[in-house]
DNA sequence: TTACTTTTGCTAACACTGTTAGAAAAAGTA
DNA sequence: TACTTTTTCTAACAGTGTTAGCAAAAGTAA
């Protein structure tokens, strides 16, 4: 009987509709403007229907956070793939991370600024390959570090630093309205990454 | 006539009471639990009285953010004062910043994670001296950079990087529940600062 | 002390939020 | 047609920030 199949399909459709509508609201009015009632109004259903698909509002946010981590992972994998030299790979990944953050502010915000426990989302594995930006960075760093004699610090810790440096620069730039010019900001980032790479060996 | 003086004094008292009560709520239940009604209940006044002292809730948060920036500035100035060598000053200031963040999570959150335009608060000048952590860091960095031949990047930009590196490490550590051990995290931070200092010359 | 003015503080509401219990309507099954 | 399951909605609860407008208290001048 294809009835239950159709039902599942229709339910999925409503779910996608909820997410698409939510995303539109966020893009137009920002995260703080997103409410269950607004979504319900827009999809022309009553409020409890939204709760049939997501146990609460945070689950909706988490969905976008996961999407964001997947997208970021793909972008970084793509950037990395264009280079063979591990240092060049790190530079390209930093650049990809930077561009992702500012071309997708809404994603970046839900990933890091909305108080969602990001550990799980961050560790998400995007099909077809297990793309995780921590491991992506770790591989390149590992390559560079095996050629050096630094034993005081691990690859995992250096990956953490790499991430922190970029995230710090981005999150500070994002919260300050009138800061340095964009070009200067990117220059600062590139200099920081260059220093990081030097400090690996 | 001392009547109006007394009135001002009493009004100030209520204001301080509001802030003290708000701070207690935040320490006990976190920022998201802070509401005007809870404050009003605790100080045994009605809700609109709170609005006689603060035009809105954000103003209360801003007050704490300012306090936080002052406290941080003092801590860093104090740490810096213990050393003459600019590199040692930077290490000490990074350490002070790190300790401030984790010993005063509530302050750090309101300063950076609550979506408050921090530009003004950050630029706050604490009496008696004009203590601003950007300039504090800038001075030490300037000293090191005048002895070098780097002309591609300015002291201001390097100060920005210094701040970003530490902030990045802190804000990532803060949002991840079970991450590396505390000692390892601090080690990572110290390594990052060491790399930063090396990259100044 | 009385009459008037200013200050102070409160009640009650408005317009929202996330969330859920329970009833009604629609759809599918025997 | 009678019954069951699924779907959907109305209406509420318990909060939130914020404010209009009125009552009470305090201070001032006669």
């Amino acid at each position: 009987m294809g009835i239950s199949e159709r039902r599942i399909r229709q339910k999925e459709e409503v779910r996608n509709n909820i997410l698409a509508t939510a995303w539109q609201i966020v893009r137009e009015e920002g995260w703080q403007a997103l409410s269950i009632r607004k979504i319900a109004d827009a999809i022309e259903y009553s409020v409890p229907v939204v709760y049939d698909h997501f146990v609460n509002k945070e689950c909706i946010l988490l969905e976008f956070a996961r999407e964001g981590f997947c997208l970021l992972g793909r972008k970084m994998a793509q950037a990395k793939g264009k280079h063979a030299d591990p240092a060049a790979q790190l530079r390209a990944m930093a650049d990809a991370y930077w561009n992702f953050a500012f071309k997708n502010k809404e994603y970046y915000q839900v990933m890091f600024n909305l108080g969602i426990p990001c550990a799980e989302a961050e560790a998400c594995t995007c099909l077809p390959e297990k793309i995780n930006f921590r491991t992506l960075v770790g591989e390149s760093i590992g390559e560079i570090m095996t050629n050096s004699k630094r034993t005081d610090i691990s690859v995992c810790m250096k990956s953490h630093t790499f991430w922190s440096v970029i995230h710090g620069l981005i999150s500070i730039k994002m919260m300050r309205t009138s800061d340095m010019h964009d070009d200067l900001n990117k220059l600062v980032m590139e200099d920081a990454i260059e220093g990081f790479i030097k400090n690996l060996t």
Side-chain angles (χ1 to χ4, degrees), chain A:
Chain A
M1 47 182 71
I3 286 172
S4 60
E5 267 95 353
R6 192 214 55 208
R7 271 184 163 160
I8 291 169
R9 215 167 46 237
Q10 285 180 333
K11 192 144 191 173
E12 187 105 346
E13 231 166 74
V14 173
R15 196 191 129 97
N16 290 339
N17 208 198
I18 289 171
L19 289 173
T21 303
W23 190 241
Q24 198 186 345
I25 293 169
V26 169
R27 292 218 63 136
E28 282 169 4
E29 306 173 63
W31 283 108
Q32 82 283 84
L34 183 68
S35 79
I36 305 290
R37 275 178 180 79
K38 255 186 204 163
I39 296 172
D41 276 8
I43 63 170
E44 293 175 301
Y45 274 98
S46 67
V47 167
V49 170
V50 179
Y51 284 92
D52 287 340
H53 297 84
F54 299 92
V55 296
N56 55 31
K57 191 184 177 182
E58 197 176 328
C59 284
I60 301 178
L61 301 191
L62 200 64
E63 190 65 35
F64 287 114
R66 260 194 281 269
E67 258 183 42
F69 278 105
C70 279
L71 237 143
L72 173 59
R74 290 217 189 87
K75 289 280 177 194
M76 285 177 77
Q78 197 182 321
K80 185 184 180 183
K82 288 181 183 163
H83 300 83
D85 175 48
Q89 286 175 340
L90 288 176
R91 276 185 277 264
M93 283 192 280
D95 195 61
Y97 193 110
W98 182 271
N99 289 333
F100 171 84
F102 292 107
K103 281 182 188 164
N104 306 279
K105 282 198 186 191
E106 294 83 13
Y107 272 125
Y108 205 81
Q109 281 165 9
V110 78
M111 287 158 74
F112 297 115
N113 293 137
L114 263 51
I116 292 171
C118 76
E120 30 177 328
E122 178 207 323
C124 97
T125 51
C126 301
L127 297 174
E129 294 109 59
K130 291 188 179 179
I131 299 176
N132 174 276
F133 73 94
R134 273 171 94 86
T135 58
L136 281 173
V137 171
E139 288 164 6
S140 297
I141 290 175
E143 267 193 70
I144 299 176
M145 288 185 79
T146 44
N147 302 331
S148 88
K149 291 117 206 157
R150 284 205 61 168
T151 53
D152 58 323
I153 200 144
S154 69
V155 173
C156 161
M157 287 155 90
K158 280 292 187 182
S159 302
H160 188 83
T161 306
F162 180 87
W163 180 24
S164 295
V165 170
I166 305 178
H167 174 70
L169 285 159
I170 288 169
S171 75
I172 285 178
K173 175 164 158 53
M174 274 195 179
M175 69 185 165
R176 317 186 86 229
T177 47
S178 71
D179 207 344
M180 281 186 282
H181 194 276
D182 285 6
D183 298 345
L184 275 185
N185 259 302
K186 192 142 189 182
L187 204 138
V188 169
M189 192 270 282
E190 285 162 355
D191 172 66
I193 295 300
E194 221 49 55
F196 171 83
I197 293 172
K198 271 187 203 153
N199 201 231
L200 282 176
T201 50

